[in-house]
């Protein structure tokens, strides 16, 4: 059997400089996010036997910010530096939100035989976190689109920017052009 690497795979070796930078920004962002979470938990401690509101709020608010970040970086490309998403998304927001503390809190509620609170916390966290990502993304899109409903992309276009609105119009160089009938045989 041959010891050659399959075609298309990089040769094994130390990480390249860009990977080291990504790792560095993820680590720095993670430290900042974890410090922010720790600060929130210190400022809003969970009372002995109480509901873990601080972790709930941290996770839900972090998810809302993830929705904002994904629209700005992935969907709309407003923020294009290659280290922004690893720093903010994986690092800061990954360090800020916490699955492990959420799981430990659920476990603590179960140990104290607070089954209703444990199940409510599990379900409410998942639903609220997903809703927060969605709400953060929707709010960001609306802000970027100037609050126009039904004609996204029409307001706020910049020179050279081409986006299609929901009703089939095209935005190009700051003007609006109807493209619904273009390309049809007449």
């Amino acid at each position: 059997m041959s010891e050659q690497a399959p075609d298309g795979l990089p040769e094994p070796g130390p990480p390249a400089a860009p990977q080291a930078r990504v790792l560095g920004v993820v680590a720095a962002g993670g430290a900042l996010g974890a410090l922010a979470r720790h600060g929130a938990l210190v400022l809003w401690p969970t009372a002995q036997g109480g509901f873990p509101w601080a972790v709930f709020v941290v996770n839900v608010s972090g998810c809302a910010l993830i929705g904002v970040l994904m629209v700005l970086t992935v969907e709309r490309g407003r923020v294009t530096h290659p280290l922004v998403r690893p720093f903010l998304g994986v690092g800061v927001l990954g360090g800020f939100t916490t699955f492990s503390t959420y799981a430990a809190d659920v476990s603590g509620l179960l140990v104290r035989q607070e089954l209703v609170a444990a199940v409510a916390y599990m379900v409410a966290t998942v639903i609220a976190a997903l809703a927060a990502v969605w709400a953060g993304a929707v709010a960001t899109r609306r802000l970027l689109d100037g609050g126009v409903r039904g004609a996204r992309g029409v307001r706020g276009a910049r020179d050279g920017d081409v986006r299609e609105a929901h009703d089939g119009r095209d935005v190009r160089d700051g003007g609006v052009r109807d493209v619904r009938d273009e390309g049809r045989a007449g």
Side-chain angles (χ1 to χ4, degrees):
M1 188 166 219
S2 171
E3 294 294 323
Q4 294 178 338
D7 288 340
L9 294 179
E11 290 293 320
Q19 290 175 339
R21 285 189 304 188
V22 169
L23 183 59
V25 299
V26 167
L32 292 173
L35 285 170
R37 174 174 29 99
H38 178 72
L41 298 179
V42 166
L43 292 173
W44 191 4
T46 300
Q48 185 66 26
F51 190 82
W53 284 109
V55 174
F56 179 80
V57 169
V58 160
N59 283 336
V60 172
S61 62
C63 286
L65 292 171
I66 288 169
V68 170
L69 180 66
M70 291 303 106
V71 169
L72 292 175
T73 59
V74 176
E75 185 178 302
R76 298 292 176 94
R78 293 287 179 120
V79 180
T80 59
H81 193 282
L83 296 177
V84 168
R85 198 166 114 198
F87 175 72
L88 292 175
V90 179
V92 174
L93 296 174
F96 183 63
T97 57
T98 172
F99 184 79
S100 60
T101 305
Y102 161 71
D105 288 341
V106 169
S107 178
L109 290 167
L110 291 172
V111 165
R112 293 192 313 263
Q113 298 180 358
E114 298 180 41
L115 181 62
V116 173
V119 171
Y121 181 50
M122 285 190 310
V123 172
T125 297
V126 171
I127 291 171
L130 291 173
V133 171
W134 175 81
V138 167
T140 304
R141 287 183 199 114
R142 285 192 179 152
L143 281 171
L144 293 176
D145 295 339
V148 176
R149 295 175 64 95
R152 242 188 303 183
V154 173
R155 291 180 65 194
R158 289 181 264 155
D159 290 346
D161 194 8
V162 178
R163 288 176 285 171
E164 186 174 322
H166 286 272
D167 59 0
R169 290 176 294 154
D170 186 18
V171 178
R172 183 182 310 266
D173 297 326
V176 177
R177 180 170 54 95
D178 196 331
V179 295
R180 288 174 283 201
D181 295 324
E182 288 183 14
R184 293 185 186 167

